[in-house]
Amino acid sequence: MEAKVTMTLDGIFDLVLSVLAANGLSRDQAEAIADIVTRAEADACRSHGLYRVEGYVAGLRAGRVNPAAQPRVRQVRPALLQVDGDRGFAPFAANLARPHLIAAARENGIAAMAMTRTHHFSALWADIEPLVEAGLVAWCFVVGQCSVAPHGGSAPLMGTNPIGFGWPRPDGAPFIFDFATSAAARGEVELKRLAGEPIPAGWGIDADGRPTRDPAEALSGALLPFGGHKGSALSMMVELIAGPLIGELTSKQVATLGHRDDGPPPGGELFIVFDPAALDGSAPAAAEGFFLDAKAQPGLRLPSERRYAARARSHASGVDVPSGLLRRIKALMPSPSA
């Protein structure tokens, strides 16, 4: 078993910040990514934590990500915002635009934000958690790397196309879920490959369309949607509303651009938020009975409870990071002579 190094959350943030800054990323963007990577590690969301740093740097070194991006927010309708990410990374653009989205939802009861020309690599729960903590109900959608075959098909057509949803709760942590519409996120398959472990049956097919448990074969073939035709239809929905609807490409169109650096794909993101106070301000409190009924069932765990428990442990005891991953990240620091 690979040795691990225990790191504090501050140590993880500082490491990511220093690596990204050393590779030419602006301070604002580097801090936004360091924050989102640290939050993922704190919540034991390894597929979107330090594992992603190599991809962020790859996107920078390939020259397709703007290291000095200056996102611009435009209010095209009272309840509709458009954010031009200036070809930068999505976390900074989202941070910059979020206060405008919250204000629009407060004013109109409901608001949407179309974020375009960004590169997205993070977990959606991290994107919507600040919105839900502000008391809003929130949805979020993003098109991922073209790696998923539709139900009945045998070749990649769609991204992993995650969906995020959040509901505010008056006491305690909000109810949030975030899941890929594929049987597993692409990052989970990558982690299995790196660990030399097989993937569960039903996650992927090889280049000839045959079921496989080899993660490398699935990555060179195609991943599969969860739930057969149901997950496939949801994935198609995400392709449409986080692609053409907001003026962005589908994942298949992005794949034809020929990027081979394993960094975050270019694309957009759609947010929809609702202010419960617009109809009935008691809605979050009234929903608590539903959660109590759910928790009354032995063994039931609400979405995000595992993450929140991991977060508490991480803040108290730090995070165990595989030593090999730590070496690879440190090796991304340019040499003094470079």
Side-chain angles (χ1 to χ4, degrees):
M1 182 177 292
E2 184 178 9
K4 295 187 177 182
V5 178
T6 301
M7 297 184 66
T8 66
L9 297 179
D10 285 345
I12 290 173
F13 180 92
D14 291 343
L15 172 64
V16 177
L17 181 64
S18 62
V19 167
L20 294 174
N23 280 275
L25 191 61
S26 68
R27 179 82 184 190
D28 287 338
Q29 288 199 79
E31 286 183 345
I33 293 174
D35 174 67
I36 218 159
V37 166
T38 302
R39 289 166 61 197
E41 287 293 335
D43 286 16
C45 184
R46 309 292 183 223
S47 61
H48 290 80
L50 287 166
Y51 155 74
R52 297 279 178 170
V53 174
E54 292 174 285
Y56 282 120
V57 172
L60 280 170
R61 291 181 176 178
R64 60 184 179 85
V65 177
N66 182 359
Q70 293 294 319
R72 295 176 293 279
V73 182
R74 186 167 68 98
Q75 193 160 5
V76 296
R77 295 286 191 278
L80 179 61
L81 304 175
Q82 188 174 50
V83 183
D84 181 342
D86 195 24
R87 297 189 304 107
F89 290 119
F92 176 51
N95 288 351
L96 187 72
R98 192 175 294 116
H100 300 275
L101 178 60
I102 293 172
R106 294 268 187 260
E107 177 68 23
N108 300 285
I110 189 169
M113 182 169 76
M115 202 162 73
T116 61
R117 297 215 310 149
T118 63
H119 295 80
H120 193 282
F121 226 26
S122 57
L124 291 191
W125 61 259
D127 286 344
I128 64 173
E129 191 169 88
L131 297 168
V132 184
E133 289 176 342
L136 303 174
V137 177
W139 293 261
C140 186
F141 311 88
V142 69
V143 174
Q145 292 166 291
C146 187
S147 54
V148 180
H151 180 65
S154 59
L157 176 66
M158 307 172 297
T160 53
N161 295 1
I163 296 171
F165 172 77
W167 177 275
R169 301 186 66 184
D171 299 306
F175 173 86
I176 294 178
F177 68 75
D178 157 24
F179 57 74
T181 50
S182 52
R186 192 175 190 278
E188 294 290 346
V189 180
E190 283 280 11
L191 289 177
K192 291 287 188 184
R193 181 184 65 80
L194 291 171
E197 299 174 354
I199 57 175
W203 277 25
I205 53 179
D206 64 18
D208 295 318
R210 297 172 300 199
T212 183
R213 297 193 61 194
D214 184 324
E217 289 184 351
L219 290 169
S220 62
L223 305 184
L224 296 173
F226 80 84
H229 67 282
K230 296 180 180 180
S232 186
L234 284 174
S235 184
M236 289 181 174
M237 178 193 75
V238 175
E239 285 281 340
L240 295 172
I241 64 176
L245 179 66
I246 63 173
E248 275 291 352
L249 302 177
T250 64
S251 59
K252 177 82 171 186
Q253 290 170 328
V254 170
T256 65
L257 299 177
H259 300 316
R260 296 289 184 268
D261 53 55
D262 293 325
E269 187 171 5
L270 176 65
F271 294 83
I272 302 173
V273 295
F274 192 102
D275 184 358
L279 287 180
D280 184 350
S282 67
E288 286 304 294
F290 170 77
F291 291 116
L292 287 173
D293 287 342
K295 292 295 289 181
Q297 300 191 30
L300 186 143
R301 185 183 69 195
L302 293 176
S304 289
E305 285 187 338
R306 180 197 62 80
R307 287 197 302 102
Y308 295 143
R311 185 180 302 180
R313 292 194 302 270
S314 299
H315 278 276
S317 306
V319 173
D320 290 335
V321 179
S323 56
L325 174 60
L326 191 57
R327 283 194 300 271
R328 294 199 305 273
I329 292 173
K330 290 181 176 179
L332 297 172
M333 294 288 286
S335 62
S337 59

